[in-house]
Amino acid sequence: MLTFKNVSKVYGKTKKAVNSLNLNINKGEFICIIGPSGCGKTTTMKMINRLIEPSEGHILIEGKDIMDQPKVKLRRDIGYVIQQIGLFPHMTIGENITLVPKLLQWPKEKRKARAEELIELVHLSKDYLDRYPQELSGGQQQRIGVLRALASNPPLILMDEPFGALDPITRDGLQEEFKDLQQRLGKTIVFVTHDMDEAIKLADRIVIMRDGEIVQVDTPDEILRNPANEFVENFIGKDRLIQTKPGVTKVGQIMNKVPATIHKEETLSTAIKQMKEKRVDSLLVIDHEHHLEGYIDVEDIEQNRKKSTTVSEIVETELYKVKENSLIRDTIQKMLKRHTKYVPVVDENNKLKGIVTRATLADLVYDSIWGEEESEEELTTLQ
Amino acid sequence: MDILTKLMNYYSQNAAYVWAEIYRHFLMSAYGVLFAAIIGIPIGILIAKYSRLSPWVMSLVNVIQTIPALAMLAVLMLVMGLGTNTLVLSLFLYSLLPIVKNTYTGITEVDRTLLEAGHAMGMTRMQVLKMVELPLSLSVIMAGLRTALVIAIGIATIGTFIGAGGLGDIIVRGTNISNGTAIILAGAIPTALMAVLADFLMGWLERALSPANHKHLR
């Protein structure tokens, strides 16, 4: 949907910020442009909505050259989020969110409905719409910044280090929230960052740039596995390279397919017997159709053994779970960050498929240490 | 005590006259500032947009400000003759500096990222001016009007020398007679009060318009 054809940006007479860039971006794709400062990544992004005009070449959106469209109209059809957030302090949150619809002259009722619809996307209550930006925290402000870009439902959104100024915990939460939002709404995103972790986490494809030129364009896994050259290798960092093992990337490939479970209508005494038999301290609770209901652990049983009799009375429903096609490295990071001992794996319908425990992680580490050496030995014998 | 009684006497005997002069004095000052705002605010916006013009315009309004008030009146009188219009014109000229300068400062100090956000969302240049720059610099512009109005109220007192009337008339009458202290005060006190009151009211308006205080207005 977005095509760069030999695009260059020259400042003055000789300084090339972007040098003859070619890139094709598909609809619904999440593209991260990354590189050291001064590599031309922001310039590249700003050329898309003509905040900076290209000196040479063509940029096409849905086959139409952006230079043939009036600036103002072009920009109203492209969402834009910046690092400094840039909410207007003299407008309420509601007015901020619906600014582009207002420029597009939507009627008032439609704008109001849209604002209410949008604020629900980021789990904030409706009375935030009447507040002013300075009453909100940084994280909340940037959520609003993202909503403002989504307001008129543009197919394409440009983001310039949007989470760069936030603290690590807020940033982490917002990244997840935003990735989820992007997948649900199917937007095409061009996202500029200098944070490799962020790029790996969010991007469908990463564009690595250096001195105004593209060094490598590929999926995060492909870049981690086969960095194009030493520059890319150094840029992603050695420690990230080791983490990945060819072929094994999804949770489904490493999970334990027979987790210790219990039916929700069983009694607590059956549960404790099960635990003893299987040598575990907690059980995943499921219903007739194998849907995941929650978990119980031995402490819950100990505390409630006098008051309750069945599992469903004391089941803990708050738990973190992943899908089969989640990436292993994300899952591991989250397990370590949240200090959880295990993560159940479910499908779209919340049906229990398996479990990833700390023991699974040990297997994985073992494989990556010993497994790799074996394959290297094989290689030497082949030579 | 004696002076105070005389003052009260003067006010009670000339109440209608004093009110008329206060009203006239205020109107002359306000018109001077109003015309200066009509011309000065657009000039301020213009030089904020075309920064090459700003040193020229700024030094011009600075030079106007350095001309002594009496000299200015005398020169303008040569051209325009006696009367109220001459005074209003000189008040207009004196008000230009604070208004142009504050408008310029207000507009140039709007956060650049907000302008970028505005442009990137597809606002035209007029929309950026109307929806972002002006609302955000309104309190600074108001501060300029406030200074201008206070200065104008002070300078308007010498309008009496070119027959413009106002509270200056009362003061000068007091200086022309022996033992005129009470009459001088009768003119000076309302002038001072008017300046203080104008400063206070404009200051309140300025704070109310400041974007940082929006939530308190609701």
Side-chain angles (χ1 to χ4, degrees), chain A residues 337-348:
Chain A
K337 216 179 274 170
R338 292 174 197 231
H339 300 288
T340 53
K341 287 177 282 185
Y342 57 87
V343 181
V345 183
V346 294
D347 67 4
E348 287 72 35

Side-chain angles (χ1 to χ4, degrees), chain A residues 221 225 244-254 324-331:
Chain A
D221 280 310
R225 222 175 293 148
T244 57
K245 191 164 164 271
V248 182
T249 53
K250 301 281 157 86
V251 167
Q253 290 168 282
I254 59 155
E324 264 182 291
N325 58 1
S326 306
L327 294 173
I328 291 175
R329 53 164 195 274
D330 289 349
T331 312

Side-chain angles (χ1 to χ4, degrees), chain A residues 245-246 370-382:
Chain A
K245 191 164 164 271
W370 303 110
E372 226 165 68
E373 263 182 28
E374 274 161 25
S375 60
E376 268 168 32
E377 272 163 26
E378 272 171 18
L379 276 178
T380 39
T381 45
L382 279 175

Side-chain angles (χ1 to χ4, degrees), chain B residues 161-176:
Chain B
F161 295 122
I162 56 162
L167 288 165
D169 274 9
I170 304 177
I171 298 173
V172 171
R173 184 166 302 167
T175 58
N176 285 345

